[in-house]
PDB file of all heavy atoms in Angstrom:
ATOM      1  N   ARG P   1      76.391 -66.242  51.149  1.00 98.00           N
ATOM      2  CA  ARG P   1      76.170 -67.609  50.724  1.00 98.00           C
ATOM      3  C   ARG P   1      74.730 -67.759  50.259  1.00 98.00           C
ATOM      4  O   ARG P   1      73.803 -67.553  51.044  1.00 98.00           O
ATOM      5  CB  ARG P   1      76.468 -68.613  51.833  1.00 98.00           C
ATOM      6  CG  ARG P   1      76.420 -70.057  51.320  1.00 98.00           C
ATOM      7  CD  ARG P   1      76.763 -71.085  52.368  1.00 98.00           C
ATOM      8  NE  ARG P   1      75.662 -71.343  53.265  1.00 98.00           N
ATOM      9  CZ  ARG P   1      75.546 -72.459  53.997  1.00 98.00           C
ATOM     10  NH1 ARG P   1      76.471 -73.403  53.909  1.00 98.00           N
ATOM     11  NH2 ARG P   1      74.521 -72.604  54.808  1.00 98.00           N
ATOM     12  N   LEU P   2      74.572 -68.123  49.015  1.00 98.00           N
ATOM     13  CA  LEU P   2      73.251 -68.418  48.468  1.00 98.00           C
ATOM     14  C   LEU P   2      72.931 -69.891  48.677  1.00 98.00           C
ATOM     15  O   LEU P   2      73.811 -70.743  48.568  1.00 98.00           O
ATOM     16  CB  LEU P   2      73.189 -68.082  46.987  1.00 98.00           C
ATOM     17  CG  LEU P   2      73.446 -66.626  46.593  1.00 98.00           C
ATOM     18  CD1 LEU P   2      73.343 -66.470  45.080  1.00 98.00           C
ATOM     19  CD2 LEU P   2      72.493 -65.692  47.296  1.00 98.00           C
ATOM     20  N   SER P   3      71.674 -70.155  48.962  1.00 98.00           N
ATOM     21  CA  SER P   3      71.183 -71.521  49.065  1.00 98.00           C
ATOM     22  C   SER P   3      70.082 -71.738  48.044  1.00 98.00           C
ATOM     23  O   SER P   3      69.314 -70.810  47.741  1.00 98.00           O
ATOM     24  CB  SER P   3      70.629 -71.789  50.467  1.00 98.00           C
ATOM     25  OG  SER P   3      71.616 -71.631  51.455  1.00 98.00           O
ATOM     26  N   CYS P   4      70.007 -72.950  47.545  1.00 98.00           N
ATOM     27  CA  CYS P   4      68.939 -73.347  46.629  1.00 98.00           C
ATOM     28  C   CYS P   4      68.295 -74.598  47.218  1.00 98.00           C
ATOM     29  O   CYS P   4      68.841 -75.698  47.092  1.00 98.00           O
ATOM     30  CB  CYS P   4      69.493 -73.611  45.244  1.00 98.00           C
ATOM     31  SG  CYS P   4      68.290 -74.233  44.053  1.00 98.00           S
ATOM     32  N   ALA P   5      67.180 -74.411  47.887  1.00 98.00           N
ATOM     33  CA  ALA P   5      66.451 -75.528  48.469  1.00 98.00           C
ATOM     34  C   ALA P   5      65.565 -76.157  47.408  1.00 98.00           C
ATOM     35  O   ALA P   5      64.911 -75.442  46.636  1.00 98.00           O
ATOM     36  CB  ALA P   5      65.609 -75.040  49.642  1.00 98.00           C
ATOM     37  N   THR P   6      65.559 -77.488  47.372  1.00 98.00           N
ATOM     38  CA  THR P   6      64.820 -78.170  46.312  1.00 98.00           C
ATOM     39  C   THR P   6      63.801 -79.146  46.884  1.00 98.00           C
ATOM     40  O   THR P   6      63.921 -79.600  48.034  1.00 98.00           O
ATOM     41  CB  THR P   6      65.774 -78.942  45.395  1.00 98.00           C
ATOM     42  OG1 THR P   6      66.240 -80.115  46.061  1.00 98.00           O
ATOM     43  CG2 THR P   6      66.963 -78.092  44.979  1.00 98.00           C
ATOM     44  N   SER P   7      62.813 -79.482  46.063  1.00 96.00           N
ATOM     45  CA  SER P   7      61.824 -80.484  46.442  1.00 96.00           C
ATOM     46  C   SER P   7      61.146 -80.995  45.189  1.00 96.00           C
ATOM     47  O   SER P   7      61.198 -80.354  44.134  1.00 96.00           O
ATOM     48  CB  SER P   7      60.787 -79.891  47.396  1.00 96.00           C
ATOM     49  OG  SER P   7      60.086 -78.835  46.765  1.00 96.00           O
ATOM     50  N   GLY P   8      60.534 -82.181  45.326  1.00 95.00           N
ATOM     51  CA  GLY P   8      59.727 -82.707  44.238  1.00 95.00           C
ATOM     52  C   GLY P   8      60.454 -83.552  43.220  1.00 95.00           C
ATOM     53  O   GLY P   8      59.864 -83.913  42.194  1.00 95.00           O
ATOM     54  N   PHE P   9      61.710 -83.905  43.467  1.00 94.00           N
ATOM     55  CA  PHE P   9      62.432 -84.749  42.520  1.00 94.00           C
ATOM     56  C   PHE P   9      63.578 -85.452  43.239  1.00 94.00           C
ATOM     57  O   PHE P   9      63.894 -85.146  44.396  1.00 94.00           O
ATOM     58  CB  PHE P   9      62.961 -83.925  41.342  1.00 94.00           C
ATOM     59  CG  PHE P   9      63.950 -82.856  41.723  1.00 94.00           C
ATOM     60  CD1 PHE P   9      65.303 -83.033  41.508  1.00 94.00           C
ATOM     61  CD2 PHE P   9      63.535 -81.655  42.287  1.00 94.00           C
ATOM     62  CE1 PHE P   9      66.220 -82.048  41.840  1.00 94.00           C
ATOM     63  CE2 PHE P   9      64.445 -80.655  42.629  1.00 94.00           C
ATOM     64  CZ  PHE P   9      65.783 -80.860  42.403  1.00 94.00           C
ATOM     65  N   THR P  10      64.200 -86.410  42.548  1.00 96.00           N
ATOM     66  CA  THR P  10      65.310 -87.171  43.123  1.00 96.00           C
ATOM     67  C   THR P  10      66.583 -86.373  42.975  1.00 96.00           C
ATOM     68  O   THR P  10      67.230 -86.368  41.919  1.00 96.00           O
ATOM     69  CB  THR P  10      65.444 -88.540  42.438  1.00 96.00           C
ATOM     70  OG1 THR P  10      64.199 -89.232  42.511  1.00 96.00           O
ATOM     71  CG2 THR P  10      66.528 -89.370  43.118  1.00 96.00           C
ATOM     72  N   PHE P  11      66.926 -85.690  44.028  1.00 97.00           N
ATOM     73  CA  PHE P  11      68.018 -84.706  44.020  1.00 97.00           C
ATOM     74  C   PHE P  11      69.312 -85.294  43.457  1.00 97.00           C
ATOM     75  O   PHE P  11      69.998 -84.656  42.666  1.00 97.00           O
ATOM     76  CB  PHE P  11      68.227 -84.207  45.451  1.00 97.00           C
ATOM     77  CG  PHE P  11      69.255 -83.131  45.600  1.00 97.00           C
ATOM     78  CD1 PHE P  11      68.912 -81.802  45.421  1.00 97.00           C
ATOM     79  CD2 PHE P  11      70.561 -83.454  45.965  1.00 97.00           C
ATOM     80  CE1 PHE P  11      69.858 -80.796  45.586  1.00 97.00           C
ATOM     81  CE2 PHE P  11      71.508 -82.457  46.142  1.00 97.00           C
ATOM     82  CZ  PHE P  11      71.159 -81.122  45.945  1.00 97.00           C
ATOM     83  N   GLU P  12      69.628 -86.518  43.842  1.00 97.00           N
ATOM     84  CA  GLU P  12      70.917 -87.123  43.489  1.00 97.00           C
ATOM     85  C   GLU P  12      71.066 -87.370  41.990  1.00 97.00           C
ATOM     86  O   GLU P  12      72.176 -87.609  41.517  1.00 97.00           O
ATOM     87  CB  GLU P  12      71.081 -88.451  44.233  1.00 97.00           C
ATOM     88  CG  GLU P  12      71.190 -88.334  45.743  1.00 97.00           C
ATOM     89  CD  GLU P  12      69.824 -88.195  46.424  1.00 97.00           C
ATOM     90  OE1 GLU P  12      68.791 -88.164  45.722  1.00 97.00           O
ATOM     91  OE2 GLU P  12      69.813 -88.125  47.659  1.00 97.00           O
ATOM     92  N   ARG P  13      69.988 -87.323  41.253  1.00 97.00           N
ATOM     93  CA  ARG P  13      70.051 -87.581  39.821  1.00 97.00           C
ATOM     94  C   ARG P  13      70.204 -86.312  38.993  1.00 97.00           C
ATOM     95  O   ARG P  13      70.200 -86.378  37.760  1.00 97.00           O
ATOM     96  CB  ARG P  13      68.798 -88.330  39.367  1.00 97.00           C
ATOM     97  CG  ARG P  13      68.705 -89.736  39.923  1.00 97.00           C
ATOM     98  CD  ARG P  13      67.561 -90.490  39.299  1.00 97.00           C
ATOM     99  NE  ARG P  13      67.471 -91.869  39.783  1.00 97.00           N
ATOM    100  CZ  ARG P  13      66.600 -92.753  39.322  1.00 97.00           C
ATOM    101  NH1 ARG P  13      65.761 -92.425  38.365  1.00 97.00           N
ATOM    102  NH2 ARG P  13      66.580 -93.973  39.819  1.00 97.00           N
ATOM    103  N   TYR P  14      70.316 -85.169  39.667  1.00 97.00           N
ATOM    104  CA  TYR P  14      70.348 -83.898  38.957  1.00 97.00           C
ATOM    105  C   TYR P  14      71.673 -83.168  39.152  1.00 97.00           C
ATOM    106  O   TYR P  14      72.271 -83.214  40.229  1.00 97.00           O
ATOM    107  CB  TYR P  14      69.218 -82.991  39.446  1.00 97.00           C
ATOM    108  CG  TYR P  14      67.873 -83.379  38.891  1.00 97.00           C
ATOM    109  CD1 TYR P  14      67.225 -84.522  39.341  1.00 97.00           C
ATOM    110  CD2 TYR P  14      67.258 -82.614  37.909  1.00 97.00           C
ATOM    111  CE1 TYR P  14      65.997 -84.894  38.812  1.00 97.00           C
ATOM    112  CE2 TYR P  14      66.033 -82.969  37.380  1.00 97.00           C
ATOM    113  CZ  TYR P  14      65.409 -84.110  37.838  1.00 97.00           C
ATOM    114  OH  TYR P  14      64.192 -84.474  37.325  1.00 97.00           O
ATOM    115  N   GLY P  15      72.087 -82.515  38.071  1.00 97.00           N
ATOM    116  CA  GLY P  15      73.159 -81.544  38.165  1.00 97.00           C
ATOM    117  C   GLY P  15      72.560 -80.155  38.314  1.00 97.00           C
ATOM    118  O   GLY P  15      71.380 -79.932  37.978  1.00 97.00           O
ATOM    119  N   PHE P  16      73.358 -79.226  38.820  1.00 98.00           N
ATOM    120  CA  PHE P  16      72.848 -77.893  39.128  1.00 98.00           C
ATOM    121  C   PHE P  16      73.792 -76.809  38.633  1.00 98.00           C
ATOM    122  O   PHE P  16      75.007 -77.002  38.560  1.00 98.00           O
ATOM    123  CB  PHE P  16      72.674 -77.738  40.647  1.00 98.00           C
ATOM    124  CG  PHE P  16      71.627 -78.636  41.214  1.00 98.00           C
ATOM    125  CD1 PHE P  16      71.945 -79.915  41.642  1.00 98.00           C
ATOM    126  CD2 PHE P  16      70.305 -78.209  41.292  1.00 98.00           C
ATOM    127  CE1 PHE P  16      70.962 -80.756  42.147  1.00 98.00           C
ATOM    128  CE2 PHE P  16      69.327 -79.040  41.794  1.00 98.00           C
ATOM    129  CZ  PHE P  16      69.660 -80.320  42.225  1.00 98.00           C
ATOM    130  N   GLY P  17      73.178 -75.695  38.305  1.00 98.00           N
ATOM    131  CA  GLY P  17      73.956 -74.538  37.904  1.00 98.00           C
ATOM    132  C   GLY P  17      73.467 -73.292  38.622  1.00 98.00           C
ATOM    133  O   GLY P  17      72.303 -73.210  39.020  1.00 98.00           O
ATOM    134  N   TRP P  18      74.369 -72.349  38.799  1.00 98.00           N
ATOM    135  CA  TRP P  18      74.020 -71.004  39.260  1.00 98.00           C
ATOM    136  C   TRP P  18      74.264 -70.044  38.093  1.00 98.00           C
ATOM    137  O   TRP P  18      75.320 -70.088  37.453  1.00 98.00           O
ATOM    138  CB  TRP P  18      74.866 -70.584  40.452  1.00 98.00           C
ATOM    139  CG  TRP P  18      74.455 -71.199  41.753  1.00 98.00           C
ATOM    140  CD1 TRP P  18      75.007 -72.289  42.366  1.00 98.00           C
ATOM    141  CD2 TRP P  18      73.400 -70.748  42.611  1.00 98.00           C
ATOM    142  NE1 TRP P  18      74.367 -72.546  43.548  1.00 98.00           N
ATOM    143  CE2 TRP P  18      73.376 -71.612  43.726  1.00 98.00           C
ATOM    144  CE3 TRP P  18      72.481 -69.702  42.563  1.00 98.00           C
ATOM    145  CZ2 TRP P  18      72.465 -71.465  44.781  1.00 98.00           C
ATOM    146  CZ3 TRP P  18      71.588 -69.557  43.600  1.00 98.00           C
ATOM    147  CH2 TRP P  18      71.574 -70.428  44.692  1.00 98.00           C
ATOM    148  N   PHE P  19      73.284 -69.174  37.895  1.00 98.00           N
ATOM    149  CA  PHE P  19      73.359 -68.162  36.855  1.00 98.00           C
ATOM    150  C   PHE P  19      73.090 -66.797  37.479  1.00 98.00           C
ATOM    151  O   PHE P  19      72.536 -66.712  38.582  1.00 98.00           O
ATOM    152  CB  PHE P  19      72.295 -68.437  35.775  1.00 98.00           C
ATOM    153  CG  PHE P  19      72.518 -69.710  35.010  1.00 98.00           C
ATOM    154  CD1 PHE P  19      72.185 -70.939  35.559  1.00 98.00           C
ATOM    155  CD2 PHE P  19      73.052 -69.678  33.747  1.00 98.00           C
ATOM    156  CE1 PHE P  19      72.394 -72.118  34.854  1.00 98.00           C
ATOM    157  CE2 PHE P  19      73.263 -70.846  33.023  1.00 98.00           C
ATOM    158  CZ  PHE P  19      72.933 -72.062  33.583  1.00 98.00           C
ATOM    159  N   ARG P  20      73.437 -65.766  36.757  1.00 98.00           N
ATOM    160  CA  ARG P  20      73.115 -64.430  37.231  1.00 98.00           C
ATOM    161  C   ARG P  20      72.768 -63.535  36.055  1.00 98.00           C
ATOM    162  O   ARG P  20      73.229 -63.748  34.936  1.00 98.00           O
ATOM    163  CB  ARG P  20      74.263 -63.825  38.035  1.00 98.00           C
ATOM    164  CG  ARG P  20      75.533 -63.538  37.236  1.00 98.00           C
ATOM    165  CD  ARG P  20      76.644 -63.080  38.165  1.00 98.00           C
ATOM    166  NE  ARG P  20      77.876 -62.771  37.448  1.00 98.00           N
ATOM    167  CZ  ARG P  20      79.018 -62.436  38.038  1.00 98.00           C
ATOM    168  NH1 ARG P  20      79.093 -62.379  39.370  1.00 98.00           N
ATOM    169  NH2 ARG P  20      80.100 -62.167  37.305  1.00 98.00           N
ATOM    170  N   GLN P  21      71.958 -62.524  36.348  1.00 98.00           N
ATOM    171  CA  GLN P  21      71.577 -61.568  35.319  1.00 98.00           C
ATOM    172  C   GLN P  21      71.566 -60.178  35.927  1.00 98.00           C
ATOM    173  O   GLN P  21      70.787 -59.896  36.842  1.00 98.00           O
ATOM    174  CB  GLN P  21      70.206 -61.905  34.739  1.00 98.00           C
ATOM    175  CG  GLN P  21      69.840 -61.055  33.536  1.00 98.00           C
ATOM    176  CD  GLN P  21      68.689 -61.643  32.750  1.00 98.00           C
ATOM    177  OE1 GLN P  21      67.966 -62.517  33.220  1.00 98.00           O
ATOM    178  NE2 GLN P  21      68.516 -61.188  31.521  1.00 98.00           N
ATOM    179  N   ALA P  22      72.434 -59.337  35.416  1.00 96.00           N
ATOM    180  CA  ALA P  22      72.503 -57.943  35.843  1.00 96.00           C
ATOM    181  C   ALA P  22      71.541 -57.116  34.988  1.00 96.00           C
ATOM    182  O   ALA P  22      71.204 -57.517  33.865  1.00 96.00           O
ATOM    183  CB  ALA P  22      73.924 -57.421  35.701  1.00 96.00           C
ATOM    184  N   PRO P  23      71.107 -55.981  35.491  1.00 91.00           N
ATOM    185  CA  PRO P  23      70.178 -55.133  34.718  1.00 91.00           C
ATOM    186  C   PRO P  23      70.746 -54.795  33.351  1.00 91.00           C
ATOM    187  O   PRO P  23      71.902 -54.373  33.236  1.00 91.00           O
ATOM    188  CB  PRO P  23      70.041 -53.884  35.600  1.00 91.00           C
ATOM    189  CG  PRO P  23      70.334 -54.360  36.979  1.00 91.00           C
ATOM    190  CD  PRO P  23      71.375 -55.426  36.822  1.00 91.00           C
ATOM    191  N   GLY P  24      69.941 -55.021  32.312  1.00 94.00           N
ATOM    192  CA  GLY P  24      70.358 -54.674  30.959  1.00 94.00           C
ATOM    193  C   GLY P  24      71.333 -55.645  30.321  1.00 94.00           C
ATOM    194  O   GLY P  24      71.816 -55.393  29.209  1.00 94.00           O
ATOM    195  N   LYS P  25      71.599 -56.766  30.988  1.00 96.00           N
ATOM    196  CA  LYS P  25      72.557 -57.734  30.451  1.00 96.00           C
ATOM    197  C   LYS P  25      71.909 -59.100  30.305  1.00 96.00           C
ATOM    198  O   LYS P  25      70.855 -59.365  30.880  1.00 96.00           O
ATOM    199  CB  LYS P  25      73.785 -57.825  31.359  1.00 96.00           C
ATOM    200  CG  LYS P  25      74.607 -56.546  31.424  1.00 96.00           C
ATOM    201  CD  LYS P  25      75.912 -56.760  32.162  1.00 96.00           C
ATOM    202  CE  LYS P  25      76.762 -55.507  32.149  1.00 96.00           C
ATOM    203  NZ  LYS P  25      78.066 -55.719  32.861  1.00 96.00           N
ATOM    204  N   GLY P  26      72.566 -59.973  29.558  1.00 95.00           N
ATOM    205  CA  GLY P  26      72.072 -61.331  29.400  1.00 95.00           C
ATOM    206  C   GLY P  26      72.386 -62.180  30.615  1.00 95.00           C
ATOM    207  O   GLY P  26      73.120 -61.775  31.511  1.00 95.00           O
ATOM    208  N   ARG P  27      71.808 -63.372  30.638  1.00 96.00           N
ATOM    209  CA  ARG P  27      72.032 -64.284  31.754  1.00 96.00           C
ATOM    210  C   ARG P  27      73.382 -64.974  31.580  1.00 96.00           C
ATOM    211  O   ARG P  27      73.682 -65.519  30.520  1.00 96.00           O
ATOM    212  CB  ARG P  27      70.896 -65.300  31.822  1.00 96.00           C
ATOM    213  CG  ARG P  27      70.865 -66.093  33.107  1.00 96.00           C
ATOM    214  CD  ARG P  27      69.581 -66.870  33.240  1.00 96.00           C
ATOM    215  NE  ARG P  27      68.417 -65.997  33.391  1.00 96.00           N
ATOM    216  CZ  ARG P  27      67.191 -66.448  33.623  1.00 96.00           C
ATOM    217  NH1 ARG P  27      66.973 -67.755  33.711  1.00 96.00           N
ATOM    218  NH2 ARG P  27      66.188 -65.612  33.746  1.00 96.00           N
ATOM    219  N   GLU P  28      74.158 -64.969  32.640  1.00 97.00           N
ATOM    220  CA  GLU P  28      75.518 -65.521  32.626  1.00 97.00           C
ATOM    221  C   GLU P  28      75.598 -66.758  33.507  1.00 97.00           C
ATOM    222  O   GLU P  28      75.144 -66.729  34.661  1.00 97.00           O
ATOM    223  CB  GLU P  28      76.507 -64.465  33.144  1.00 97.00           C
ATOM    224  CG  GLU P  28      77.935 -64.957  33.284  1.00 97.00           C
ATOM    225  CD  GLU P  28      78.843 -63.973  34.023  1.00 97.00           C
ATOM    226  OE1 GLU P  28      78.319 -63.059  34.696  1.00 97.00           O
ATOM    227  OE2 GLU P  28      80.070 -64.138  33.934  1.00 97.00           O
ATOM    228  N   GLY P  29      76.186 -67.811  33.004  1.00 98.00           N
ATOM    229  CA  GLY P  29      76.432 -68.994  33.811  1.00 98.00           C
ATOM    230  C   GLY P  29      77.614 -68.764  34.734  1.00 98.00           C
ATOM    231  O   GLY P  29      78.694 -68.388  34.265  1.00 98.00           O
ATOM    232  N   VAL P  30      77.432 -68.986  36.011  1.00 98.00           N
ATOM    233  CA  VAL P  30      78.446 -68.665  37.014  1.00 98.00           C
ATOM    234  C   VAL P  30      79.200 -69.906  37.469  1.00 98.00           C
ATOM    235  O   VAL P  30      80.430 -69.914  37.516  1.00 98.00           O
ATOM    236  CB  VAL P  30      77.778 -67.983  38.225  1.00 98.00           C
ATOM    237  CG1 VAL P  30      78.770 -67.808  39.355  1.00 98.00           C
ATOM    238  CG2 VAL P  30      77.181 -66.649  37.823  1.00 98.00           C
ATOM    239  N   ALA P  31      78.460 -70.957  37.816  1.00 98.00           N
ATOM    240  CA  ALA P  31      79.082 -72.169  38.349  1.00 98.00           C
ATOM    241  C   ALA P  31      78.129 -73.330  38.163  1.00 98.00           C
ATOM    242  O   ALA P  31      76.911 -73.143  38.106  1.00 98.00           O
ATOM    243  CB  ALA P  31      79.423 -72.001  39.823  1.00 98.00           C
ATOM    244  N   CYS P  32      78.688 -74.533  38.083  1.00 98.00           N
ATOM    245  CA  CYS P  32      77.840 -75.718  38.008  1.00 98.00           C
ATOM    246  C   CYS P  32      78.519 -76.874  38.722  1.00 98.00           C
ATOM    247  O   CYS P  32      79.741 -76.888  38.928  1.00 98.00           O
ATOM    248  CB  CYS P  32      77.504 -76.085  36.566  1.00 98.00           C
ATOM    249  SG  CYS P  32      78.911 -76.586  35.561  1.00 98.00           S
ATOM    250  N   ILE P  33      77.678 -77.849  39.100  1.00 98.00           N
ATOM    251  CA  ILE P  33      78.158 -79.052  39.752  1.00 98.00           C
ATOM    252  C   ILE P  33      77.358 -80.225  39.198  1.00 98.00           C
ATOM    253  O   ILE P  33      76.136 -80.134  39.042  1.00 98.00           O
ATOM    254  CB  ILE P  33      78.023 -78.931  41.292  1.00 98.00           C
ATOM    255  CG1 ILE P  33      78.648 -80.122  41.995  1.00 98.00           C
ATOM    256  CG2 ILE P  33      76.568 -78.729  41.721  1.00 98.00           C
ATOM    257  CD1 ILE P  33      78.824 -79.897  43.499  1.00 98.00           C
ATOM    258  N   ASN P  34      78.044 -81.320  38.903  1.00 97.00           N
ATOM    259  CA  ASN P  34      77.324 -82.444  38.299  1.00 97.00           C
ATOM    260  C   ASN P  34      76.621 -83.273  39.364  1.00 97.00           C
ATOM    261  O   ASN P  34      76.728 -83.000  40.571  1.00 97.00           O
ATOM    262  CB  ASN P  34      78.269 -83.291  37.455  1.00 97.00           C
ATOM    263  CG  ASN P  34      79.274 -84.085  38.275  1.00 97.00           C
ATOM    264  OD1 ASN P  34      79.532 -83.749  39.433  1.00 97.00           O
ATOM    265  ND2 ASN P  34      79.822 -85.130  37.701  1.00 97.00           N
ATOM    266  N   ARG P  35      75.905 -84.306  38.943  1.00 97.00           N
ATOM    267  CA  ARG P  35      75.064 -85.059  39.872  1.00 97.00           C
ATOM    268  C   ARG P  35      75.880 -85.787  40.926  1.00 97.00           C
ATOM    269  O   ARG P  35      75.424 -85.999  42.041  1.00 97.00           O
ATOM    270  CB  ARG P  35      74.175 -86.039  39.112  1.00 97.00           C
ATOM    271  CG  ARG P  35      74.925 -87.139  38.404  1.00 97.00           C
ATOM    272  CD  ARG P  35      73.970 -88.023  37.622  1.00 97.00           C
ATOM    273  NE  ARG P  35      74.632 -89.160  36.983  1.00 97.00           N
ATOM    274  CZ  ARG P  35      75.206 -89.127  35.816  1.00 97.00           C
ATOM    275  NH1 ARG P  35      75.220 -88.004  35.123  1.00 97.00           N
ATOM    276  NH2 ARG P  35      75.774 -90.201  35.319  1.00 97.00           N
ATOM    277  N   ASP P  36      77.106 -86.186  40.581  1.00 96.00           N
ATOM    278  CA  ASP P  36      77.951 -86.908  41.534  1.00 96.00           C
ATOM    279  C   ASP P  36      78.789 -85.978  42.400  1.00 96.00           C
ATOM    280  O   ASP P  36      79.458 -86.438  43.329  1.00 96.00           O
ATOM    281  CB  ASP P  36      78.877 -87.862  40.789  1.00 96.00           C
ATOM    282  CG  ASP P  36      78.115 -88.961  40.082  1.00 96.00           C
ATOM    283  OD1 ASP P  36      77.052 -89.372  40.590  1.00 96.00           O
ATOM    284  OD2 ASP P  36      78.556 -89.394  39.000  1.00 96.00           O
ATOM    285  N   GLY P  37      78.786 -84.709  42.061  1.00 95.00           N
ATOM    286  CA  GLY P  37      79.562 -83.743  42.833  1.00 95.00           C
ATOM    287  C   GLY P  37      81.046 -83.786  42.552  1.00 95.00           C
ATOM    288  O   GLY P  37      81.827 -83.119  43.246  1.00 95.00           O
ATOM    289  N   ASP P  38      81.473 -84.526  41.520  1.00 95.00           N
ATOM    290  CA  ASP P  38      82.902 -84.643  41.246  1.00 95.00           C
ATOM    291  C   ASP P  38      83.353 -83.858  40.023  1.00 95.00           C
ATOM    292  O   ASP P  38      84.523 -83.954  39.626  1.00 95.00           O
ATOM    293  CB  ASP P  38      83.314 -86.113  41.121  1.00 95.00           C
ATOM    294  CG  ASP P  38      82.553 -86.842  40.027  1.00 95.00           C
ATOM    295  OD1 ASP P  38      81.746 -86.207  39.326  1.00 95.00           O
ATOM    296  OD2 ASP P  38      82.754 -88.068  39.892  1.00 95.00           O
ATOM    297  N   GLU P  39      82.448 -83.126  39.424  1.00 96.00           N
ATOM    298  CA  GLU P  39      82.857 -82.167  38.398  1.00 96.00           C
ATOM    299  C   GLU P  39      82.217 -80.828  38.703  1.00 96.00           C
ATOM    300  O   GLU P  39      80.994 -80.728  38.874  1.00 96.00           O
ATOM    301  CB  GLU P  39      82.476 -82.607  36.989  1.00 96.00           C
ATOM    302  CG  GLU P  39      82.898 -81.575  35.939  1.00 96.00           C
ATOM    303  CD  GLU P  39      82.988 -82.112  34.529  1.00 96.00           C
ATOM    304  OE1 GLU P  39      82.879 -83.340  34.347  1.00 96.00           O
ATOM    305  OE2 GLU P  39      83.179 -81.288  33.616  1.00 96.00           O
ATOM    306  N   ILE P  40      83.045 -79.816  38.779  1.00 98.00           N
ATOM    307  CA  ILE P  40      82.618 -78.457  39.094  1.00 98.00           C
ATOM    308  C   ILE P  40      83.302 -77.514  38.124  1.00 98.00           C
ATOM    309  O   ILE P  40      84.513 -77.650  37.874  1.00 98.00           O
ATOM    310  CB  ILE P  40      82.986 -78.085  40.544  1.00 98.00           C
ATOM    311  CG1 ILE P  40      82.133 -78.887  41.539  1.00 98.00           C
ATOM    312  CG2 ILE P  40      82.836 -76.604  40.779  1.00 98.00           C
ATOM    313  CD1 ILE P  40      82.535 -78.698  42.990  1.00 98.00           C
ATOM    314  N   ASN P  41      82.550 -76.587  37.587  1.00 98.00           N
ATOM    315  CA  ASN P  41      83.097 -75.625  36.640  1.00 98.00           C
ATOM    316  C   ASN P  41      82.632 -74.216  36.987  1.00 98.00           C
ATOM    317  O   ASN P  41      81.524 -74.025  37.486  1.00 98.00           O
ATOM    318  CB  ASN P  41      82.665 -75.971  35.219  1.00 98.00           C
ATOM    319  CG  ASN P  41      83.156 -77.337  34.796  1.00 98.00           C
ATOM    320  OD1 ASN P  41      84.348 -77.616  34.839  1.00 98.00           O
ATOM    321  ND2 ASN P  41      82.260 -78.213  34.391  1.00 98.00           N
TER     322      ASN P  41
END
């Protein structure tokens, strides 16, 4: 389980994404969640 701890902004107003990058490859979008938590892709 990865955690992303945040500070310095109004958390509830932001959407978030997780990305990954393997050696020699481009950055891939893995998952995202919107600010309300009711849309996840």
Side-chain angles (χ1 to χ4, degrees):
R1 188 178 78 159
L2 300 180
S3 299
C4 176
T6 74
S7 62
F9 62 103
T10 305
F11 184 86
E12 294 82 359
R13 293 188 178 184
Y14 283 73
F16 295 89
W18 283 98
F19 295 78
R20 66 186 181 185
Q21 188 164 16
K25 295 189 177 181
R27 193 168 294 185
E28 175 190 16
V30 172
C32 65
I33 186 167
N34 70 340
R35 66 183 184 274
D36 295 328
D38 58 3
E39 179 160 352
I40 291 174
N41 299 304

